[in-house]
Amino acid sequence: MTVELMVKEAKKARELAYTPYSKFKVGAALRSKDGQIFHGCNIENAAYSLCNCAERTALFKAYSEGVRDYDLLVVVADTEGPVSPCGACRQVISELCDPDMEVILTNMNEQIQKLTVKELLPGAFSSKDLQKD
């Protein structure tokens, strides 16, 4: 599936967002190496700390279904420039995705920023940091 089609998939996911408080809809499309597409949208809650972002929704769906190898993540929102994932999403992406996997950040006008997971969160906290001597 091309990048253009993946952007369309992320936009479809965005339309499913539950955002009664912020009205800020975000969509994500995660492609596994075997071609499966996992959609994610942000889901808000009146207790704000219980909200979940689109990126994490897509990753958690894939991971919970036993799919562990991904090659592309696209994130879209109605922002002036390409949308920027929050810090929590960057950490989860760095934990569950290959450091060299491509991440595409975009907006409704399809302005695109391409980067890798390691560029998204340089110096990420990882399992290596938890190893004890």
Side-chain angles (χ1 to χ4, degrees):
M1 182 173 281
T2 66
V3 168
E4 292 79 17
L5 290 174
M6 285 293 291
V7 169
K8 287 181 182 179
E9 292 295 317
K11 285 181 175 181
K12 284 194 318 191
R14 180 183 170 273
E15 292 309 310
L16 299 173
Y18 176 70
T19 59
Y21 310 106
S22 73
K23 309 290 190 235
F24 184 73
K25 295 181 176 185
V26 181
L30 176 69
R31 184 177 65 198
S32 66
K33 288 184 179 178
D34 66 2
Q36 295 180 72
I37 307 298
F38 294 89
H39 298 91
C41 61
N42 54 322
I43 301 169
E44 295 180 345
N45 190 284
Y48 292 142
S49 65
L50 301 179
C51 298
N52 200 54
C53 299
E55 302 92 311
R56 286 182 282 148
T57 299
L59 278 161
F60 294 166
K61 283 171 68 175
Y63 206 88
S64 69
E65 292 184 24
V67 179
R68 306 287 196 271
D69 296 315
Y70 322 109
D71 65 3
L72 179 63
L73 174 65
V74 176
V75 186
V76 64
D78 191 7
T79 49
E80 188 174 322
V83 66
S84 180
C86 73
C89 285
R90 290 171 189 246
Q91 179 61 41
V92 170
I93 291 165
S94 73
E95 175 84 14
L96 299 180
C97 301
D98 184 278
D100 294 317
M101 185 186 87
E102 186 174 33
V103 177
I104 295 179
L105 308 177
T106 188
N107 61 9
M108 299 306 288
N109 298 321
E110 298 186 21
Q111 293 174 303
I112 289 179
Q113 179 183 6
K114 294 181 180 183
L115 57 162
T116 63
V117 169
K118 65 184 167 195
E119 291 170 328
L120 190 63
L121 185 61
F125 186 82
S126 73
S127 60
K128 294 175 190 167
D129 297 309
L130 298 173
Q131 295 178 358
K132 297 180 182 178
D133 294 331

